Amino acid sequence: MDVERWAFDVFQLDTLLVEFIRETIRAQGPQSFAWFMQQALYHSEHGYYSSGRCVIGRKGDYFTNVSVGPLFGQLLVAQFTEIWERLGKTDDFVIVEQGAHDGQFALDVLELAQKRLPEFFDALRYRILEPFPILEQQQRRKLQAFGDKVNWADSLEPFTGVHFSNELLDAMPVRLITNGVEKLVGLDGDQLVFVERPVDETIFNKASLEAIDQIAANLRRGYLIAIDYGVLDEEFERNVQVRAKHRNLNSPFEQIGDADITMSVDWQSIIERAQANGLRVAGFTDQHHFLTGILSRFESWDRGQSLLGDSRKAKRELQTLLHPEMLGRAFQVLGLARNVDAKTNPLAGFKFARRLDQSG
Ligand SMILES: C[S@@+](CC[C@H](N)C(=O)[O-])C[C@H]1O[C@@H](n2cnc3c(N)ncnc32)[C@H](O)[C@@H]1O
C-alpha cells in the first residue's frame, strides 16, 4: 500500500514538472538549457534537489567525496585549522559551506573538531548557505547536537575564514553555447528536443560566475576552497552528465526531476572572474595531490593518534579518495585567497600542486 502511494506520488510530481516545462515552452517558445536545468533541479516544488528527492551515496543516485565516509571531512579539518592559524587563530572564524546537501560534511567536520581540537572548535562558527527549506530541515536534524554553533543563511554576509564547497559549481545551471550556436530546449509535439539558434553571447556559466562575485564581495580575509570536476586549460568541452541510480542516462530529458544534471566546471573562467574581483589564486591541483598534501600535515597534527589507525574502513575510504582511477584524478581543487600571504607560503593542500604558476 505504502509502496503504491509512493510510486503514485513520484509519478504525479514528474508529470507536473514536465507539464510545467512543456506549458512554458508552448507559451514562450524554446528556453535556454540553463532555464531547463533550473526547473529540473531547483523548481520550487518539484526539482530534483529542492523537493528533497535527491539521495547521494550507495542507496542513491551517485557518490560524492562526502558520501565515501567521514574521512573526507576529517582531512579537510586539518586544512581548515591551518587556515585558522594563518588568520592568527581569530576567535571569529567562520566556515561557510554552500551545497551542504544533508549536512553530512558539516557533521564530519564538527564532530572531529569537537573531539580533538577544543581551541579550534571554540573559535569556530559553521554557516550553511542553503536556499532550499527541505534541505535546511534535513541539515538541522543532522546537526542539532551542535546547537547555535551552526547557523543558516540564504545569502552571504561578510565573513573571515573559509568558503567551502564540494560539487557545487557543477550543479549550477549552464547555457549550451558553442561557436556562436546555442542549444535551446524546444518541443516537437509533446517531446522535449534541442533546437539550435545563432547567439552573440559567449558566457555560458553565469550562475557560477555570479556565485564567485558574491563570495568575493563577502570574504574579508581568508580562503575559498572549491572541489569539483572540470577542466583548466585544455580545450573546454561542454560536457553535460545526467545520472540516476548510479547509471549515466543518455539525455537530460530522461527522468526529469528524478535525475541529477551536471556540467564540468570551466576552471579558467572561474579563476579569471575571481581575479577580476581581487581574489588571488592560492593553488590549483587534483584531489590526489591536494589530499596527499593535507595528509602530511594531518599526520604531524594528529600527534601519532592517526585517525586512520588500524581501521580498514578508513583505509578503504582513503584509497577511494586518493586513487587516480577512483576519485583522485576525477576532481580538482581550486584555492582562492584574500588578504593572506597565499603565494610564498602555500596551504598544505597545495604543497604538492604543480600549478602555482596561476597565482596572480
Ligand atoms: C552534487 S550535490 C553535492 C552535495 C554535497 N556537497 C556532497 O558533496 O555530497 C550539489 C548540491 O548543491 C546544492 N546547490 C545548488 N545550487 C546551490 C546554491 N546556489 N546555493 C547552495 N546550494 C546549492 C544542491 O541543492 C545540492 O545539494
Side-chain angles (χ1 to χ4, degrees):
M1 177 71 179
D2 274 357
V3 172
E4 269 175 36
R5 249 190 55 191
W6 177 82
F8 176 75
D9 285 349
V10 169
F11 177 72
Q12 282 288 308
L13 290 171
D14 264 2
T15 307
L16 291 173
L17 178 57
V18 174
E19 201 38 49
F20 166 75
I21 291 170
R22 284 196 195 112
E23 284 299 318
T24 307
I25 296 172
R26 273 186 207 116
Q28 297 171 20
Q31 299 291 309
S32 72
F33 189 72
W35 178 87
F36 170 80
M37 202 168 156
Q38 180 72 31
Q39 310 315 314
L41 301 182
Y42 308 119
H43 178 281
S44 57
E45 280 170 78
H46 308 314
Y48 174 67
Y49 285 114
S50 43
S51 66
R53 261 204 308 286
C54 163
V55 179
I56 301 176
R58 196 174 301 281
K59 293 188 181 146
D61 292 312
Y62 58 91
F63 291 107
T64 64
N65 285 319
V66 179
S67 68
V68 168
L71 187 68
F72 177 69
Q74 293 166 344
L75 288 170
L76 263 298
V77 171
Q79 185 57 96
F80 296 154
T81 55
E82 188 189 34
I83 292 176
W84 172 61
E85 285 164 14
R86 291 247 174 124
L87 299 178
K89 297 196 173 182
T90 169
D91 59 6
D92 188 21
F93 184 79
V94 185
I95 298 175
V96 179
E97 189 187 355
Q98 194 170 355
H101 200 64
D102 61 357
Q104 185 60 48
F105 178 80
L107 182 70
D108 297 337
V109 166
L110 288 165
E111 278 187 344
L112 181 70
Q114 187 175 44
K115 208 157 83 190
R116 294 280 184 90
L117 300 155
E119 202 194 341
F120 173 64
F121 186 73
D122 277 354
L124 170 66
R125 281 180 301 139
Y126 204 104
R127 186 171 299 153
I128 296 183
L129 199 56
E130 184 52 70
F132 307 117
I134 198 157
L135 295 184
E136 182 178 327
Q137 276 169 28
Q138 291 177 15
Q139 294 154 7
R140 282 185 184 276
R141 267 198 302 276
K142 189 160 274 197
L143 299 167
Q144 65 185 357
F146 292 98
D148 57 12
K149 176 70 57 190
V150 190
N151 57 66
W152 279 261
D154 49 22
S155 62
L156 272 171
E157 290 159 24
F159 68 100
T160 295
V162 58
H163 181 284
F164 176 80
S165 64
N166 186 66
E167 286 205 65
L168 168 72
L169 297 173
D170 70 9
M172 292 200 162
V174 285
R175 289 170 69 178
L176 298 178
I177 302 174
T178 317
N179 300 329
V181 175
E182 178 164 15
K183 275 188 179 173
L184 301 173
V185 181
L187 272 178
D188 179 4
D190 264 357
Q191 291 286 314
L192 292 171
V193 290
F194 280 122
V195 291
E196 295 192 345
R197 295 273 163 84
V199 68
D200 291 331
E201 178 69 56
T202 53
I203 293 179
F204 73 99
N205 54 350
K206 188 162 166 267
S208 354
L209 297 178
E210 287 177 355
I212 296 296
D213 293 343
Q214 281 303 309
I215 299 163
N218 287 286
L219 177 61
R220 281 193 294 231
R221 212 157 73 85
Y223 291 83
L224 168 149
I225 293 182
I227 305 185
D228 226 307
Y229 80 97
V231 178
L232 178 62
D233 48 10
E234 294 138 45
E235 183 74 6
F236 182 72
E237 270 190 34
R238 309 273 184 269
N239 179 14
V240 175
Q241 275 196 28
V242 189
R243 298 177 290 185
K245 305 271 176 284
H246 297 280
R247 260 188 346 110
N248 284 334
L249 306 184
N250 292 326
S251 155
F253 305 145
E254 280 181 49
Q255 300 189 33
I256 297 169
D258 272 318
D260 186 33
I261 305 176
T262 57
M263 163 72 103
S264 52
V265 174
D266 176 17
W267 288 115
Q268 192 60 44
S269 65
I270 299 287
I271 289 172
E272 282 167 14
R273 187 68 160 238
Q275 287 173 327
N277 275 294
L279 298 180
R280 291 177 50 182
V281 176
F284 181 82
T285 191
D286 62 33
Q287 176 163 301
H288 174 88
H289 286 88
F290 182 73
L291 294 182
T292 306
I294 291 182
L295 266 175
S296 63
R297 172 178 162 83
F298 196 86
E299 276 155 11
S300 56
W301 164 78
D302 199 28
R303 286 192 203 88
Q305 311 173 54
S306 171
L307 272 178
L308 290 174
D310 286 330
S311 154
R312 286 173 50 194
K313 183 173 168 290
K315 283 184 179 145
R316 258 201 323 272
E317 287 174 26
L318 184 62
Q319 194 186 21
T320 307
L321 296 171
L322 282 183
H323 197 289
E325 286 176 350
M326 298 170 101
L327 301 180
R329 278 266 175 75
F331 291 101
Q332 301 85 44
V333 186
L334 174 65
L336 297 167
R338 182 183 311 280
N339 290 333
V340 281
D341 178 9
K343 198 168 185 175
T344 53
N345 198 3
L347 290 176
F350 299 113
K351 198 162 112 180
F352 303 124
R354 282 163 296 171
R355 282 233 166 92
L356 276 175
D357 51 318
Q358 289 289 332
S359 298

